[in-house]
Amino acid sequence: MVTLNKRAFLGVPALAALGLAGAAQAKDEPSADACAKPPAPDYRLPVANGPFRPEPDSLKTYQAPDWFRDAKFGIWSHWGPQAVPRQGDWYARNMYVPGHPHYDHHVKTYGQPSKSGYKDIIPLWTAEKFDPEGLMDKYAAAGAKYFVSMGVHHDNFDLWNSKHHRWNATAMGPKRDIVGAWRAAARKRKIRFGVSEHLGASHNWYYPSHLYNQTWPELGVPYDGADPRYVDLYHPPHNEPYKGGADTWYTKDPRFHQIWFDRMRDLIDTYEPDLLYSDGGLPFGVVGRSLVAHLYNGSVARAGRVDAVYNCKDFGSGEFYKEACVQDVERGVLKGINPLPWQTDTSNGDWFYSDGFKYKTTSEVVAMLADIASKNGNLLLNVVQYPDGSLPPESQLLLEELAPWMAVNAQAIHGTRPWKVFGEGPTETADGAFQESAAYTARDIRFTTKGDTLYAITLGEPSGVTEITALAKDNPHERRRVARVEMLGVRGALKFRQDDRALTIDVPPRAPTRHASVFKINFA
């Protein structure tokens, strides 16, 4: 995942190595050739016929489809070879960075990266317990209305039968079309299907693999990323590292732009996803815009309307046009009701399986989902998998607890729209990416609507009475008086009082579900 607002971890020797070429160039005056304007790249960017062109004004005519606005909750399989070491996210990069825990783990477990690199991790990912059919049943029961498969992470390993890249899951590792298996399971259950691409950042992200051992007895021996036999995995030698900021997230090399387009177009054409997610802004200017136009036009050709979603991020990397896509906010939320549909992506644990990582509780996930839905957003949740494809106990428990909650309360989530205000309560929520922690209580309430019905979702387990100040008598949001209040899962109407201070509801002695409760409110 993108971590642009986090400090990139590099040991002191690695930082020095990353800065050597730049420092040398700074001492010399640029040559006349260096100052000459480079020729325009000769891209090959075939786009399907349709109403969308690879220009910002054309893409800004996009409107998110109703299926996405109705779905509210999706599950993601952010899974691949980087799960094998059981050390979490960004392993394929950090294993080449001396001083990083991933480097220390790799040397201790697998040997020096000059002898045993990431290419040697890939065959260890056999996914022997991967059961997409069984997992999709659990995801559907947990309320997921769309499912997203990892297509390719920054490690440059394609999880489908790639036409343009030999490093793929059908040829190596599990020797299985992971994307295709997920797609078949989702389609069988009429769950919308998406794919995520993190390839755009891979070129610069992988830079440490091109360096060398920095400890005795192999000081100066190049890592396997510098071996020309593996140049198609680690990318050609270059001096364009990712340095922790948006300006270095994507490469400026047009050769890689073309590679990215060809592989992403192959992914789109082969699997016809309902959703494509990019881990950053829209990559590579006209190249990225051409791919999005191709995605949208292909959707129009199949459905007679734009039925596809493109997710990207407003991080400063690449391009971002809020009207042309569905904004994705990584591990965070927006503060108020956004006029356009949007999405939070997060994980119940680390992005890839990590021993000892603290997992989100079901209560935290339910509260996040209600908060996001009340603000016109969707929650895309990675459910962590073991390297073998099965679920760790924490992921299993989450799904087991979400299923009964959704069985009772899903009508307050799926197919809803925001109310006049998103909610009320004592807990302040932060705005933007990497701001997802909030200790909600039962006094924190979020609103959703469906037709003339208002749902009030408590972000904790209520008891005694629940007071909703937004529905006080003569409030500015709803002139009609409250006529009936129910709690989803409880038979019959509840006692309530509506006065100048609040709508006060008598809470049943025993709630039908844990984690949060939903009041269904109708007006005269």
Side-chain angles (χ1 to χ4, degrees):
M1 297 300 301
V2 180
T3 51
L4 298 180
N5 71 334
K6 300 177 183 176
R7 183 177 181 272
F9 192 109
L10 291 172
V12 172
L15 281 172
L18 288 175
L20 281 176
Q25 290 172 357
K27 294 178 182 178
D28 300 323
E29 289 296 324
S31 67
D33 288 343
C35 293
K37 186 176 180 180
D42 184 19
Y43 292 129
R44 302 175 306 282
L45 306 172
V47 173
N49 292 329
F52 291 94
R53 303 180 309 278
E55 300 157 5
D57 287 346
S58 177
L59 295 177
K60 286 179 182 180
T61 64
Y62 170 78
Q63 289 188 323
D66 285 342
W67 75 257
F68 181 82
R69 300 194 66 195
D70 291 341
K72 300 303 178 190
F73 182 47
I75 284 179
W76 190 5
S77 175
H78 193 288
W79 177 58
Q82 288 180 91
V84 168
R86 303 166 69 101
Q87 297 294 301
D89 200 21
W90 282 35
Y91 188 88
R93 171 188 168 89
N94 294 332
M95 59 166 279
Y96 293 102
V97 180
H100 195 283
H102 290 176
Y103 175 88
D104 296 338
H105 174 84
H106 192 84
V107 171
K108 180 181 177 180
T109 309
Y110 305 105
Q112 286 284 350
S114 56
K115 295 180 179 178
S116 178
Y118 187 67
K119 72 181 186 308
D120 302 294
I121 296 292
I122 290 172
L124 304 180
W125 185 52
T126 57
E128 64 273 16
K129 294 183 180 179
F130 175 46
D131 176 17
E133 298 289 336
L135 290 172
M136 202 64 68
D137 281 338
K138 294 178 186 292
Y139 300 157
K145 295 299 183 183
Y146 61 110
F147 174 85
V148 176
S149 168
M150 174 76 73
V152 50
H153 199 252
H154 309 316
D155 64 350
N156 198 24
F157 186 76
D158 292 349
L159 269 60
W160 75 95
N161 188 15
S162 180
K163 294 182 177 67
H164 302 283
H165 194 51
R166 68 177 172 125
W167 299 90
N168 70 76
T170 62
M172 303 176 185
K175 297 186 177 179
R176 184 172 180 182
D177 184 348
I178 301 297
V179 173
W182 280 128
R183 180 185 185 274
R187 292 279 196 254
K188 186 182 297 183
R189 291 156 183 82
K190 300 188 185 307
I191 292 174
R192 294 284 184 158
F193 176 72
V195 290
S196 68
E197 74 84 12
H198 313 243
L199 177 64
S202 178
H203 181 276
N204 292 0
W205 184 89
Y206 241 150
Y207 182 84
S209 69
H210 298 168
L211 302 178
Y212 48 83
N213 285 328
Q214 295 173 32
T215 58
W216 295 102
E218 298 184 16
L219 180 65
V221 177
Y223 293 149
D224 67 332
D227 190 328
R229 290 178 296 173
Y230 311 117
V231 68
D232 52 344
L233 176 63
Y234 300 111
H235 308 296
H238 62 83
N239 187 34
E240 196 182 4
Y242 167 61
K243 298 179 181 179
D247 58 332
T248 57
W249 187 240
Y250 290 140
T251 178
K252 298 177 176 61
D253 188 342
R255 294 170 298 180
F256 183 74
H257 301 171
Q258 185 67 60
I259 290 170
W260 177 86
F261 180 88
D262 291 342
R263 282 164 62 186
M264 291 304 99
R265 191 175 189 273
D266 173 39
L267 181 62
I268 290 171
D269 290 350
T270 302
Y271 301 95
E272 299 178 343
D274 300 301
L275 180 148
L276 173 67
Y277 165 109
S278 282
D279 193 7
L282 177 61
F284 314 138
V286 68
V287 179
R289 282 184 262 118
S290 295
L291 187 79
V292 174
H294 182 69
L295 173 72
Y296 291 165
N297 286 342
S299 176
V300 172
R302 290 189 300 274
R305 63 186 184 280
V306 184
D307 212 30
V309 172
Y310 176 64
N311 293 141
C312 66
K313 303 178 182 182
D314 187 15
F315 273 170
S317 60
E319 298 178 351
F320 179 78
Y321 311 102
K322 64 181 181 180
E323 306 92 345
C325 65
V326 171
Q327 180 180 356
D328 181 88
V329 182
E330 183 177 341
R331 286 196 184 272
V333 297
L334 298 182
K335 200 169 182 66
I337 298 173
N338 200 55
L340 295 172
W342 59 281
Q343 176 180 272
T344 288
D345 76 274
T346 190
S347 178
N348 70 321
D350 203 343
W351 286 113
F352 291 102
Y353 179 79
S354 178
D355 286 325
F357 199 88
K358 184 179 183 298
Y359 284 75
K360 288 181 175 66
T361 66
T362 307
S363 294
E364 290 172 325
V365 171
V366 168
M368 282 193 71
L369 175 59
D371 178 58
I372 291 163
S374 74
K375 298 172 180 176
N376 204 28
N378 286 21
L379 172 61
L380 177 61
L381 177 71
N382 174 49
V383 175
V384 175
Q385 292 168 254
Y386 277 137
D388 64 15
S390 62
L391 298 176
E394 297 87 349
S395 293
Q396 184 69 38
L397 178 63
L398 172 65
L399 297 171
E400 289 174 353
E401 293 185 338
L402 278 177
W405 191 89
M406 281 290 187
V408 172
N409 299 303
Q411 65 176 278
I413 301 295
H414 300 142
T416 62
R417 298 292 184 266
W419 191 46
K420 310 292 179 57
V421 293
F422 70 87
E424 64 181 42
T427 307
E428 288 290 326
T429 58
D431 184 50
F434 308 107
Q435 303 282 343
E436 65 180 346
S437 59
Y440 293 116
T441 71
R443 293 171 57 206
D444 293 298
I445 296 170
R446 296 295 180 264
F447 302 115
T448 61
T449 63
K450 187 181 292 179
D452 287 334
T453 299
L454 175 67
Y455 298 98
I457 309 169
T458 65
L459 304 190
E461 299 179 43
S463 62
V465 298
T466 290
E467 295 183 340
I468 304 176
T469 59
L471 288 174
K473 186 179 179 182
D474 297 326
N475 71 82
H477 314 300
E478 177 55 69
R479 294 298 182 185
R480 296 172 296 175
R481 65 177 177 84
V482 174
R484 181 180 174 89
V485 178
E486 303 170 60
M487 178 181 278
L488 295 186
V490 175
R491 282 191 173 189
L494 305 181
K495 293 181 179 179
F496 68 91
R497 297 164 296 286
Q498 188 177 21
D499 56 28
D500 292 339
R501 191 172 61 86
L503 171 69
T504 302
I505 305 168
D506 291 344
V507 178
R510 184 172 181 178
T513 58
R514 293 178 55 211
H515 315 301
S517 294
V518 180
F519 297 105
K520 181 179 180 180
I521 301 169
N522 291 106
F523 302 94

